Amino acid sequence: MQDASFVPKVQSVGLNGLLVTFDNKATDVANRAAIAFRSEVDALGWPEVAESSSTLVSAFFRVDLSEYRFDDLKDRLEHVLASRDWSAPALPSGRVLWTIPAVFGGDRAPQLAEAAEAAGRSVAEAQADLTSARLRVLTLGFAPGQPYLGTLGEAWNIPRQVGLTPNIPAGALVAAVRQICLFTKDTPTGWRHVGQSAFACFRPHSDTPFPLSPGDEVQFTAITEGELLRIEAHNSDGSGGALREVLE
């Protein structure tokens, strides 16, 4: 029986498509539902849907609503919603576990100590937290292929900085609000730079430009700055020394 308080909403996004929203705040349940629902609809192969994506709490289906009736598509989406309990969905099969090496702290990730203090953790405890957590790709956004990873323990519900760090490099791990963001490109940010990898989230010349997908899992492993330099010197494919394992 689906929780009566869990009521997904279907609405139009102008003439661009339909958005199915599972909550008005970011929760694990809403994120799992958005990922699972998108996968379920994709598997149906509706010709009206040109593409789909998921956010922290929603699934979006791009449909030309100047050509197809919103009410018809809304009815079909609501029929899928009624077919199962989306408050406790299994994630899609075929997801990938990525084990990504990264440097934590030091010159390559200079805000680890600051983030640890904000979380009430020692530097050693902070590194242990960040390498022991098996995080899920919650969504991709802000830059091509860029993942938001969660969810860290409650101690890591640390705020963003008041100001911006002018530039953080591609491959950086930045932390805030119980999440890690793995940067696609050099960018300013209000999140704290706690780790540095050589993993490329956007590979435009690859058959798979976006290696990470919502629902994939990520675990970081600690390496030295010397090891990172060696990886960077031989990183033509952008994998950054990561291991890839397909999950059932």
PDB file of all heavy atoms in Angstrom, residues 65-104:
ATOM      1  N   LEU A  65       4.442  19.266 -26.851  1.00  0.00           N
ATOM      2  CA  LEU A  65       3.030  19.392 -26.485  1.00  0.00           C
ATOM      3  C   LEU A  65       2.239  20.269 -27.441  1.00  0.00           C
ATOM      4  O   LEU A  65       1.035  20.452 -27.264  1.00  0.00           O
ATOM      5  CB  LEU A  65       2.917  19.917 -25.046  1.00  0.00           C
ATOM      6  CG  LEU A  65       3.424  18.956 -23.970  1.00  0.00           C
ATOM      7  CD1 LEU A  65       3.293  19.570 -22.580  1.00  0.00           C
ATOM      8  CD2 LEU A  65       2.681  17.623 -24.029  1.00  0.00           C
ATOM      9  N   SER A  66       2.903  20.800 -28.467  1.00  0.00           N
ATOM     10  CA  SER A  66       2.149  21.443 -29.542  1.00  0.00           C
ATOM     11  C   SER A  66       1.642  20.391 -30.528  1.00  0.00           C
ATOM     12  O   SER A  66       0.733  20.659 -31.323  1.00  0.00           O
ATOM     13  CB  SER A  66       3.017  22.462 -30.279  1.00  0.00           C
ATOM     14  OG  SER A  66       4.079  21.824 -30.982  1.00  0.00           O
ATOM     15  N   GLU A  67       2.222  19.196 -30.445  1.00  0.00           N
ATOM     16  CA  GLU A  67       1.816  18.098 -31.337  1.00  0.00           C
ATOM     17  C   GLU A  67       0.996  17.043 -30.608  1.00  0.00           C
ATOM     18  O   GLU A  67       0.070  16.458 -31.182  1.00  0.00           O
ATOM     19  CB  GLU A  67       3.055  17.454 -31.947  1.00  0.00           C
ATOM     20  CG  GLU A  67       2.750  16.308 -32.911  1.00  0.00           C
ATOM     21  CD  GLU A  67       4.001  15.751 -33.565  1.00  0.00           C
ATOM     22  OE1 GLU A  67       5.096  16.300 -33.333  1.00  0.00           O
ATOM     23  OE2 GLU A  67       3.859  14.756 -34.314  1.00  0.00           O
ATOM     24  N   TYR A  68       1.322  16.782 -29.336  1.00  0.00           N
ATOM     25  CA  TYR A  68       0.628  15.751 -28.566  1.00  0.00           C
ATOM     26  C   TYR A  68      -0.126  16.386 -27.404  1.00  0.00           C
ATOM     27  O   TYR A  68       0.346  17.351 -26.795  1.00  0.00           O
ATOM     28  CB  TYR A  68       1.636  14.728 -28.027  1.00  0.00           C
ATOM     29  CG  TYR A  68       2.427  14.038 -29.104  1.00  0.00           C
ATOM     30  CD1 TYR A  68       3.757  14.390 -29.340  1.00  0.00           C
ATOM     31  CD2 TYR A  68       1.853  13.051 -29.909  1.00  0.00           C
ATOM     32  CE1 TYR A  68       4.499  13.750 -30.326  1.00  0.00           C
ATOM     33  CE2 TYR A  68       2.583  12.420 -30.900  1.00  0.00           C
ATOM     34  CZ  TYR A  68       3.905  12.780 -31.110  1.00  0.00           C
ATOM     35  OH  TYR A  68       4.626  12.163 -32.093  1.00  0.00           O
ATOM     36  N   ARG A  69      -1.301  15.830 -27.091  1.00  0.00           N
ATOM     37  CA  ARG A  69      -2.144  16.395 -26.045  1.00  0.00           C
ATOM     38  C   ARG A  69      -1.577  16.113 -24.656  1.00  0.00           C
ATOM     39  O   ARG A  69      -1.267  14.966 -24.329  1.00  0.00           O
ATOM     40  CB  ARG A  69      -3.559  15.807 -26.137  1.00  0.00           C
ATOM     41  CG  ARG A  69      -4.425  16.421 -27.212  1.00  0.00           C
ATOM     42  CD  ARG A  69      -5.754  15.672 -27.351  1.00  0.00           C
ATOM     43  NE  ARG A  69      -6.336  15.329 -26.064  1.00  0.00           N
ATOM     44  CZ  ARG A  69      -7.113  16.141 -25.333  1.00  0.00           C
ATOM     45  NH1 ARG A  69      -7.392  17.353 -25.790  1.00  0.00           N
ATOM     46  NH2 ARG A  69      -7.614  15.736 -24.184  1.00  0.00           N
ATOM     47  N   PHE A  70      -1.456  17.184 -23.852  1.00  0.00           N
ATOM     48  CA  PHE A  70      -0.963  17.042 -22.481  1.00  0.00           C
ATOM     49  C   PHE A  70      -1.839  16.085 -21.675  1.00  0.00           C
ATOM     50  O   PHE A  70      -1.331  15.210 -20.964  1.00  0.00           O
ATOM     51  CB  PHE A  70      -0.925  18.411 -21.799  1.00  0.00           C
ATOM     52  CG  PHE A  70      -0.745  18.328 -20.309  1.00  0.00           C
ATOM     53  CD1 PHE A  70       0.477  17.965 -19.757  1.00  0.00           C
ATOM     54  CD2 PHE A  70      -1.808  18.591 -19.453  1.00  0.00           C
ATOM     55  CE1 PHE A  70       0.641  17.875 -18.380  1.00  0.00           C
ATOM     56  CE2 PHE A  70      -1.648  18.510 -18.077  1.00  0.00           C
ATOM     57  CZ  PHE A  70      -0.428  18.151 -17.546  1.00  0.00           C
ATOM     58  N   ASP A  71      -3.163  16.230 -21.769  1.00  0.00           N
ATOM     59  CA  ASP A  71      -4.057  15.409 -20.954  1.00  0.00           C
ATOM     60  C   ASP A  71      -3.880  13.927 -21.246  1.00  0.00           C
ATOM     61  O   ASP A  71      -3.950  13.095 -20.332  1.00  0.00           O
ATOM     62  CB  ASP A  71      -5.515  15.812 -21.176  1.00  0.00           C
ATOM     63  CG  ASP A  71      -5.849  17.155 -20.537  1.00  0.00           C
ATOM     64  OD1 ASP A  71      -5.078  17.595 -19.663  1.00  0.00           O
ATOM     65  OD2 ASP A  71      -6.867  17.762 -20.921  1.00  0.00           O
ATOM     66  N   ASP A  72      -3.644  13.576 -22.503  1.00  0.00           N
ATOM     67  CA  ASP A  72      -3.459  12.161 -22.853  1.00  0.00           C
ATOM     68  C   ASP A  72      -2.176  11.618 -22.220  1.00  0.00           C
ATOM     69  O   ASP A  72      -2.172  10.521 -21.647  1.00  0.00           O
ATOM     70  CB  ASP A  72      -3.392  12.001 -24.376  1.00  0.00           C
ATOM     71  CG  ASP A  72      -4.725  12.296 -25.059  1.00  0.00           C
ATOM     72  OD1 ASP A  72      -5.753  12.308 -24.360  1.00  0.00           O
ATOM     73  OD2 ASP A  72      -4.712  12.515 -26.284  1.00  0.00           O
ATOM     74  N   LEU A  73      -1.093  12.379 -22.331  1.00  0.00           N
ATOM     75  CA  LEU A  73       0.179  11.930 -21.747  1.00  0.00           C
ATOM     76  C   LEU A  73       0.098  11.912 -20.225  1.00  0.00           C
ATOM     77  O   LEU A  73       0.643  11.008 -19.579  1.00  0.00           O
ATOM     78  CB  LEU A  73       1.318  12.842 -22.204  1.00  0.00           C
ATOM     79  CG  LEU A  73       2.039  12.492 -23.514  1.00  0.00           C
ATOM     80  CD1 LEU A  73       2.741  11.150 -23.391  1.00  0.00           C
ATOM     81  CD2 LEU A  73       1.109  12.519 -24.708  1.00  0.00           C
ATOM     82  N   LYS A  74      -0.585  12.884 -19.657  1.00  0.00           N
ATOM     83  CA  LYS A  74      -0.743  12.927 -18.197  1.00  0.00           C
ATOM     84  C   LYS A  74      -1.490  11.685 -17.710  1.00  0.00           C
ATOM     85  O   LYS A  74      -1.098  11.053 -16.723  1.00  0.00           O
ATOM     86  CB  LYS A  74      -1.509  14.188 -17.798  1.00  0.00           C
ATOM     87  CG  LYS A  74      -1.732  14.358 -16.297  1.00  0.00           C
ATOM     88  CD  LYS A  74      -2.375  15.718 -16.018  1.00  0.00           C
ATOM     89  CE  LYS A  74      -2.546  15.963 -14.526  1.00  0.00           C
ATOM     90  NZ  LYS A  74      -3.655  15.183 -13.959  1.00  0.00           N
ATOM     91  N   ASP A  75      -2.552  11.308 -18.417  1.00  0.00           N
ATOM     92  CA  ASP A  75      -3.307  10.116 -18.033  1.00  0.00           C
ATOM     93  C   ASP A  75      -2.424   8.868 -18.083  1.00  0.00           C
ATOM     94  O   ASP A  75      -2.490   8.002 -17.202  1.00  0.00           O
ATOM     95  CB  ASP A  75      -4.514   9.929 -18.956  1.00  0.00           C
ATOM     96  CG  ASP A  75      -5.620  10.939 -18.686  1.00  0.00           C
ATOM     97  OD1 ASP A  75      -5.574  11.603 -17.633  1.00  0.00           O
ATOM     98  OD2 ASP A  75      -6.521  11.066 -19.537  1.00  0.00           O
ATOM     99  N   ARG A  76      -1.591   8.778 -19.115  1.00  0.00           N
ATOM    100  CA  ARG A  76      -0.740   7.590 -19.253  1.00  0.00           C
ATOM    101  C   ARG A  76       0.324   7.549 -18.166  1.00  0.00           C
ATOM    102  O   ARG A  76       0.634   6.490 -17.610  1.00  0.00           O
ATOM    103  CB  ARG A  76      -0.118   7.575 -20.648  1.00  0.00           C
ATOM    104  CG  ARG A  76      -1.151   7.242 -21.729  1.00  0.00           C
ATOM    105  CD  ARG A  76      -0.669   7.618 -23.109  1.00  0.00           C
ATOM    106  NE  ARG A  76       0.482   6.833 -23.528  1.00  0.00           N
ATOM    107  CZ  ARG A  76       1.129   7.045 -24.674  1.00  0.00           C
ATOM    108  NH1 ARG A  76       0.731   8.018 -25.482  1.00  0.00           N
ATOM    109  NH2 ARG A  76       2.155   6.286 -25.006  1.00  0.00           N
ATOM    110  N   LEU A  77       0.906   8.707 -17.833  1.00  0.00           N
ATOM    111  CA  LEU A  77       1.877   8.744 -16.750  1.00  0.00           C
ATOM    112  C   LEU A  77       1.219   8.396 -15.415  1.00  0.00           C
ATOM    113  O   LEU A  77       1.797   7.668 -14.595  1.00  0.00           O
ATOM    114  CB  LEU A  77       2.528  10.126 -16.677  1.00  0.00           C
ATOM    115  CG  LEU A  77       3.509  10.465 -17.792  1.00  0.00           C
ATOM    116  CD1 LEU A  77       3.917  11.935 -17.728  1.00  0.00           C
ATOM    117  CD2 LEU A  77       4.745   9.576 -17.739  1.00  0.00           C
ATOM    118  N   GLU A  78       0.018   8.897 -15.186  1.00  0.00           N
ATOM    119  CA  GLU A  78      -0.677   8.589 -13.932  1.00  0.00           C
ATOM    120  C   GLU A  78      -1.043   7.116 -13.853  1.00  0.00           C
ATOM    121  O   GLU A  78      -1.072   6.536 -12.759  1.00  0.00           O
ATOM    122  CB  GLU A  78      -1.911   9.477 -13.797  1.00  0.00           C
ATOM    123  CG  GLU A  78      -1.541  10.931 -13.504  1.00  0.00           C
ATOM    124  CD  GLU A  78      -2.744  11.845 -13.363  1.00  0.00           C
ATOM    125  OE1 GLU A  78      -3.831  11.469 -13.875  1.00  0.00           O
ATOM    126  OE2 GLU A  78      -2.589  12.927 -12.757  1.00  0.00           O
ATOM    127  N   HIS A  79      -1.292   6.496 -14.990  1.00  0.00           N
ATOM    128  CA  HIS A  79      -1.552   5.053 -15.005  1.00  0.00           C
ATOM    129  C   HIS A  79      -0.305   4.292 -14.553  1.00  0.00           C
ATOM    130  O   HIS A  79      -0.397   3.336 -13.768  1.00  0.00           O
ATOM    131  CB  HIS A  79      -1.968   4.603 -16.408  1.00  0.00           C
ATOM    132  CG  HIS A  79      -2.224   3.131 -16.517  1.00  0.00           C
ATOM    133  ND1 HIS A  79      -3.362   2.534 -16.020  1.00  0.00           N
ATOM    134  CD2 HIS A  79      -1.463   2.130 -17.052  1.00  0.00           C
ATOM    135  CE1 HIS A  79      -3.294   1.227 -16.245  1.00  0.00           C
ATOM    136  NE2 HIS A  79      -2.169   0.962 -16.866  1.00  0.00           N
ATOM    137  N   VAL A  80       0.884   4.714 -15.029  1.00  0.00           N
ATOM    138  CA  VAL A  80       2.134   4.083 -14.584  1.00  0.00           C
ATOM    139  C   VAL A  80       2.344   4.338 -13.091  1.00  0.00           C
ATOM    140  O   VAL A  80       2.760   3.446 -12.341  1.00  0.00           O
ATOM    141  CB  VAL A  80       3.330   4.587 -15.409  1.00  0.00           C
ATOM    142  CG1 VAL A  80       4.628   3.944 -14.921  1.00  0.00           C
ATOM    143  CG2 VAL A  80       3.132   4.304 -16.895  1.00  0.00           C
ATOM    144  N   LEU A  81       2.060   5.555 -12.648  1.00  0.00           N
ATOM    145  CA  LEU A  81       2.204   5.868 -11.229  1.00  0.00           C
ATOM    146  C   LEU A  81       1.329   4.974 -10.358  1.00  0.00           C
ATOM    147  O   LEU A  81       1.723   4.574  -9.259  1.00  0.00           O
ATOM    148  CB  LEU A  81       1.858   7.338 -10.971  1.00  0.00           C
ATOM    149  CG  LEU A  81       2.886   8.372 -11.425  1.00  0.00           C
ATOM    150  CD1 LEU A  81       2.299   9.781 -11.355  1.00  0.00           C
ATOM    151  CD2 LEU A  81       4.149   8.285 -10.572  1.00  0.00           C
ATOM    152  N   ALA A  82       0.141   4.672 -10.848  1.00  0.00           N
ATOM    153  CA  ALA A  82      -0.798   3.857 -10.072  1.00  0.00           C
ATOM    154  C   ALA A  82      -0.461   2.374 -10.094  1.00  0.00           C
ATOM    155  O   ALA A  82      -1.048   1.596  -9.345  1.00  0.00           O
ATOM    156  CB  ALA A  82      -2.218   4.064 -10.599  1.00  0.00           C
ATOM    157  N   SER A  83       0.508   1.986 -10.924  1.00  0.00           N
ATOM    158  CA  SER A  83       0.792   0.570 -11.114  1.00  0.00           C
ATOM    159  C   SER A  83       1.616  -0.047 -10.010  1.00  0.00           C
ATOM    160  O   SER A  83       1.703  -1.272  -9.898  1.00  0.00           O
ATOM    161  CB  SER A  83       1.503   0.363 -12.458  1.00  0.00           C
ATOM    162  OG  SER A  83       2.823   0.905 -12.421  1.00  0.00           O
ATOM    163  N   ARG A  84       2.276   0.776  -9.173  1.00  0.00           N
ATOM    164  CA  ARG A  84       3.124   0.245  -8.113  1.00  0.00           C
ATOM    165  C   ARG A  84       3.364   1.286  -7.038  1.00  0.00           C
ATOM    166  O   ARG A  84       2.966   2.448  -7.184  1.00  0.00           O
ATOM    167  CB  ARG A  84       4.461  -0.248  -8.678  1.00  0.00           C
ATOM    168  CG  ARG A  84       5.221   0.782  -9.459  1.00  0.00           C
ATOM    169  CD  ARG A  84       6.451   0.244 -10.129  1.00  0.00           C
ATOM    170  NE  ARG A  84       7.557   0.091  -9.190  1.00  0.00           N
ATOM    171  CZ  ARG A  84       8.825  -0.010  -9.550  1.00  0.00           C
ATOM    172  NH1 ARG A  84       9.132  -0.031 -10.838  1.00  0.00           N
ATOM    173  NH2 ARG A  84       9.783  -0.125  -8.660  1.00  0.00           N
ATOM    174  N   ASP A  85       4.013   0.886  -5.975  1.00  0.00           N
ATOM    175  CA  ASP A  85       4.309   1.764  -4.855  1.00  0.00           C
ATOM    176  C   ASP A  85       5.641   2.459  -5.110  1.00  0.00           C
ATOM    177  O   ASP A  85       6.697   1.843  -5.022  1.00  0.00           O
ATOM    178  CB  ASP A  85       4.363   0.946  -3.563  1.00  0.00           C
ATOM    179  CG  ASP A  85       4.653   1.795  -2.338  1.00  0.00           C
ATOM    180  OD1 ASP A  85       4.782   3.026  -2.486  1.00  0.00           O
ATOM    181  OD2 ASP A  85       4.747   1.226  -1.238  1.00  0.00           O
ATOM    182  N   TRP A  86       5.582   3.745  -5.409  1.00  0.00           N
ATOM    183  CA  TRP A  86       6.790   4.499  -5.726  1.00  0.00           C
ATOM    184  C   TRP A  86       7.452   5.072  -4.480  1.00  0.00           C
ATOM    185  O   TRP A  86       8.480   5.743  -4.579  1.00  0.00           O
ATOM    186  CB  TRP A  86       6.474   5.605  -6.735  1.00  0.00           C
ATOM    187  CG  TRP A  86       6.023   5.029  -8.025  1.00  0.00           C
ATOM    188  CD1 TRP A  86       4.738   4.879  -8.447  1.00  0.00           C
ATOM    189  CD2 TRP A  86       6.844   4.444  -9.043  1.00  0.00           C
ATOM    190  NE1 TRP A  86       4.697   4.254  -9.664  1.00  0.00           N
ATOM    191  CE2 TRP A  86       5.969   3.977 -10.057  1.00  0.00           C
ATOM    192  CE3 TRP A  86       8.216   4.280  -9.190  1.00  0.00           C
ATOM    193  CZ2 TRP A  86       6.449   3.357 -11.207  1.00  0.00           C
ATOM    194  CZ3 TRP A  86       8.700   3.660 -10.333  1.00  0.00           C
ATOM    195  CH2 TRP A  86       7.817   3.205 -11.330  1.00  0.00           C
ATOM    196  N   SER A  87       6.882   4.801  -3.300  1.00  0.00           N
ATOM    197  CA  SER A  87       7.527   5.266  -2.078  1.00  0.00           C
ATOM    198  C   SER A  87       8.619   4.310  -1.611  1.00  0.00           C
ATOM    199  O   SER A  87       9.360   4.621  -0.679  1.00  0.00           O
ATOM    200  CB  SER A  87       6.496   5.462  -0.963  1.00  0.00           C
ATOM    201  OG  SER A  87       5.925   4.223  -0.580  1.00  0.00           O
ATOM    202  N   ALA A  88       8.714   3.154  -2.260  1.00  0.00           N
ATOM    203  CA  ALA A  88       9.766   2.191  -1.889  1.00  0.00           C
ATOM    204  C   ALA A  88      10.225   1.432  -3.131  1.00  0.00           C
ATOM    205  O   ALA A  88      10.166   0.202  -3.192  1.00  0.00           O
ATOM    206  CB  ALA A  88       9.250   1.217  -0.838  1.00  0.00           C
ATOM    207  N   PRO A  89      10.698   2.148  -4.159  1.00  0.00           N
ATOM    208  CA  PRO A  89      11.031   1.475  -5.421  1.00  0.00           C
ATOM    209  C   PRO A  89      12.428   0.864  -5.406  1.00  0.00           C
ATOM    210  O   PRO A  89      13.341   1.370  -4.750  1.00  0.00           O
ATOM    211  CB  PRO A  89      10.983   2.619  -6.440  1.00  0.00           C
ATOM    212  CG  PRO A  89      11.428   3.811  -5.644  1.00  0.00           C
ATOM    213  CD  PRO A  89      10.904   3.597  -4.247  1.00  0.00           C
ATOM    214  N   ALA A  90      12.566  -0.222  -6.133  1.00  0.00           N
ATOM    215  CA  ALA A  90      13.906  -0.756  -6.388  1.00  0.00           C
ATOM    216  C   ALA A  90      14.545   0.087  -7.482  1.00  0.00           C
ATOM    217  O   ALA A  90      13.874   0.547  -8.405  1.00  0.00           O
ATOM    218  CB  ALA A  90      13.812  -2.209  -6.829  1.00  0.00           C
ATOM    219  N   LEU A  91      15.839   0.304  -7.368  1.00  0.00           N
ATOM    220  CA  LEU A  91      16.535   1.039  -8.414  1.00  0.00           C
ATOM    221  C   LEU A  91      16.725   0.145  -9.633  1.00  0.00           C
ATOM    222  O   LEU A  91      16.741  -1.086  -9.523  1.00  0.00           O
ATOM    223  CB  LEU A  91      17.885   1.532  -7.895  1.00  0.00           C
ATOM    224  CG  LEU A  91      17.788   2.641  -6.850  1.00  0.00           C
ATOM    225  CD1 LEU A  91      19.148   2.875  -6.195  1.00  0.00           C
ATOM    226  CD2 LEU A  91      17.293   3.937  -7.480  1.00  0.00           C
ATOM    227  N   PRO A  92      16.866   0.730 -10.821  1.00  0.00           N
ATOM    228  CA  PRO A  92      16.985  -0.072 -12.043  1.00  0.00           C
ATOM    229  C   PRO A  92      18.201  -0.991 -12.009  1.00  0.00           C
ATOM    230  O   PRO A  92      19.219  -0.690 -11.381  1.00  0.00           O
ATOM    231  CB  PRO A  92      17.139   0.989 -13.144  1.00  0.00           C
ATOM    232  CG  PRO A  92      16.618   2.254 -12.551  1.00  0.00           C
ATOM    233  CD  PRO A  92      16.882   2.174 -11.091  1.00  0.00           C
ATOM    234  N   SER A  93      18.086  -2.117 -12.684  1.00  0.00           N
ATOM    235  CA  SER A  93      19.232  -3.021 -12.822  1.00  0.00           C
ATOM    236  C   SER A  93      20.214  -2.441 -13.843  1.00  0.00           C
ATOM    237  O   SER A  93      19.881  -1.533 -14.604  1.00  0.00           O
ATOM    238  CB  SER A  93      18.765  -4.406 -13.273  1.00  0.00           C
ATOM    239  OG  SER A  93      18.116  -4.318 -14.529  1.00  0.00           O
ATOM    240  N   GLY A  94      21.432  -2.990 -13.846  1.00  0.00           N
ATOM    241  CA  GLY A  94      22.426  -2.538 -14.806  1.00  0.00           C
ATOM    242  C   GLY A  94      23.151  -1.276 -14.393  1.00  0.00           C
ATOM    243  O   GLY A  94      23.924  -0.705 -15.183  1.00  0.00           O
ATOM    244  N   ARG A  95      22.919  -0.835 -13.156  1.00  0.00           N
ATOM    245  CA  ARG A  95      23.664   0.327 -12.665  1.00  0.00           C
ATOM    246  C   ARG A  95      25.134  -0.040 -12.477  1.00  0.00           C
ATOM    247  O   ARG A  95      25.495  -1.207 -12.467  1.00  0.00           O
ATOM    248  CB  ARG A  95      23.060   0.818 -11.344  1.00  0.00           C
ATOM    249  CG  ARG A  95      21.633   1.308 -11.482  1.00  0.00           C
ATOM    250  CD  ARG A  95      21.000   1.673 -10.134  1.00  0.00           C
ATOM    251  NE  ARG A  95      20.981   0.538  -9.229  1.00  0.00           N
ATOM    252  CZ  ARG A  95      21.656   0.458  -8.095  1.00  0.00           C
ATOM    253  NH1 ARG A  95      22.425   1.475  -7.701  1.00  0.00           N
ATOM    254  NH2 ARG A  95      21.574  -0.608  -7.327  1.00  0.00           N
ATOM    255  N   VAL A  96      25.971   0.974 -12.319  1.00  0.00           N
ATOM    256  CA  VAL A  96      27.416   0.760 -12.239  1.00  0.00           C
ATOM    257  C   VAL A  96      27.940   1.281 -10.902  1.00  0.00           C
ATOM    258  O   VAL A  96      27.530   2.356 -10.436  1.00  0.00           O
ATOM    259  CB  VAL A  96      28.138   1.475 -13.406  1.00  0.00           C
ATOM    260  CG1 VAL A  96      29.647   1.405 -13.231  1.00  0.00           C
ATOM    261  CG2 VAL A  96      27.714   0.852 -14.735  1.00  0.00           C
ATOM    262  N   LEU A  97      28.834   0.509 -10.293  1.00  0.00           N
ATOM    263  CA  LEU A  97      29.592   0.969  -9.134  1.00  0.00           C
ATOM    264  C   LEU A  97      30.950   1.448  -9.636  1.00  0.00           C
ATOM    265  O   LEU A  97      31.699   0.682 -10.248  1.00  0.00           O
ATOM    266  CB  LEU A  97      29.769  -0.157  -8.116  1.00  0.00           C
ATOM    267  CG  LEU A  97      30.775   0.109  -6.988  1.00  0.00           C
ATOM    268  CD1 LEU A  97      30.342   1.308  -6.133  1.00  0.00           C
ATOM    269  CD2 LEU A  97      30.968  -1.136  -6.128  1.00  0.00           C
ATOM    270  N   TRP A  98      31.262   2.713  -9.365  1.00  0.00           N
ATOM    271  CA  TRP A  98      32.539   3.296  -9.745  1.00  0.00           C
ATOM    272  C   TRP A  98      33.391   3.466  -8.491  1.00  0.00           C
ATOM    273  O   TRP A  98      32.935   4.063  -7.502  1.00  0.00           O
ATOM    274  CB  TRP A  98      32.337   4.674 -10.381  1.00  0.00           C
ATOM    275  CG  TRP A  98      31.589   4.646 -11.682  1.00  0.00           C
ATOM    276  CD1 TRP A  98      30.242   4.727 -11.858  1.00  0.00           C
ATOM    277  CD2 TRP A  98      32.158   4.546 -12.993  1.00  0.00           C
ATOM    278  NE1 TRP A  98      29.917   4.686 -13.195  1.00  0.00           N
ATOM    279  CE2 TRP A  98      31.083   4.572 -13.912  1.00  0.00           C
ATOM    280  CE3 TRP A  98      33.466   4.446 -13.476  1.00  0.00           C
ATOM    281  CZ2 TRP A  98      31.292   4.501 -15.284  1.00  0.00           C
ATOM    282  CZ3 TRP A  98      33.667   4.369 -14.848  1.00  0.00           C
ATOM    283  CH2 TRP A  98      32.587   4.395 -15.733  1.00  0.00           C
ATOM    284  N   THR A  99      34.602   2.951  -8.512  1.00  0.00           N
ATOM    285  CA  THR A  99      35.557   3.183  -7.441  1.00  0.00           C
ATOM    286  C   THR A  99      36.597   4.152  -7.983  1.00  0.00           C
ATOM    287  O   THR A  99      37.351   3.823  -8.909  1.00  0.00           O
ATOM    288  CB  THR A  99      36.217   1.873  -6.983  1.00  0.00           C
ATOM    289  OG1 THR A  99      35.193   0.961  -6.562  1.00  0.00           O
ATOM    290  CG2 THR A  99      37.161   2.127  -5.818  1.00  0.00           C
ATOM    291  N   ILE A 100      36.605   5.371  -7.429  1.00  0.00           N
ATOM    292  CA  ILE A 100      37.379   6.467  -7.998  1.00  0.00           C
ATOM    293  C   ILE A 100      38.475   6.891  -7.026  1.00  0.00           C
ATOM    294  O   ILE A 100      38.192   7.300  -5.895  1.00  0.00           O
ATOM    295  CB  ILE A 100      36.468   7.674  -8.304  1.00  0.00           C
ATOM    296  CG1 ILE A 100      35.363   7.258  -9.294  1.00  0.00           C
ATOM    297  CG2 ILE A 100      37.277   8.843  -8.858  1.00  0.00           C
ATOM    298  CD1 ILE A 100      34.364   8.360  -9.595  1.00  0.00           C
ATOM    299  N   PRO A 101      39.746   6.806  -7.434  1.00  0.00           N
ATOM    300  CA  PRO A 101      40.840   7.266  -6.557  1.00  0.00           C
ATOM    301  C   PRO A 101      40.889   8.786  -6.490  1.00  0.00           C
ATOM    302  O   PRO A 101      40.653   9.473  -7.491  1.00  0.00           O
ATOM    303  CB  PRO A 101      42.092   6.691  -7.222  1.00  0.00           C
ATOM    304  CG  PRO A 101      41.714   6.442  -8.645  1.00  0.00           C
ATOM    305  CD  PRO A 101      40.242   6.194  -8.675  1.00  0.00           C
ATOM    306  N   ALA A 102      41.196   9.294  -5.304  1.00  0.00           N
ATOM    307  CA  ALA A 102      41.263  10.743  -5.116  1.00  0.00           C
ATOM    308  C   ALA A 102      42.221  11.068  -3.972  1.00  0.00           C
ATOM    309  O   ALA A 102      42.405  10.279  -3.044  1.00  0.00           O
ATOM    310  CB  ALA A 102      39.882  11.316  -4.814  1.00  0.00           C
ATOM    311  N   VAL A 103      42.808  12.248  -4.056  1.00  0.00           N
ATOM    312  CA  VAL A 103      43.620  12.806  -2.975  1.00  0.00           C
ATOM    313  C   VAL A 103      42.689  13.589  -2.056  1.00  0.00           C
ATOM    314  O   VAL A 103      41.812  14.335  -2.526  1.00  0.00           O
ATOM    315  CB  VAL A 103      44.706  13.739  -3.536  1.00  0.00           C
ATOM    316  CG1 VAL A 103      45.377  14.526  -2.414  1.00  0.00           C
ATOM    317  CG2 VAL A 103      45.738  12.940  -4.308  1.00  0.00           C
ATOM    318  N   PHE A 104      42.879  13.420  -0.753  1.00  0.00           N
ATOM    319  CA  PHE A 104      42.081  14.168   0.213  1.00  0.00           C
ATOM    320  C   PHE A 104      43.005  15.068   1.028  1.00  0.00           C
ATOM    321  O   PHE A 104      43.958  14.602   1.649  1.00  0.00           O
ATOM    322  CB  PHE A 104      41.311  13.213   1.131  1.00  0.00           C
ATOM    323  CG  PHE A 104      40.225  12.466   0.398  1.00  0.00           C
ATOM    324  CD1 PHE A 104      40.502  11.255  -0.219  1.00  0.00           C
ATOM    325  CD2 PHE A 104      38.947  12.993   0.288  1.00  0.00           C
ATOM    326  CE1 PHE A 104      39.519  10.583  -0.918  1.00  0.00           C
ATOM    327  CE2 PHE A 104      37.957  12.327  -0.405  1.00  0.00           C
ATOM    328  CZ  PHE A 104      38.236  11.116  -1.015  1.00  0.00           C
TER     329      PHE A 104
END
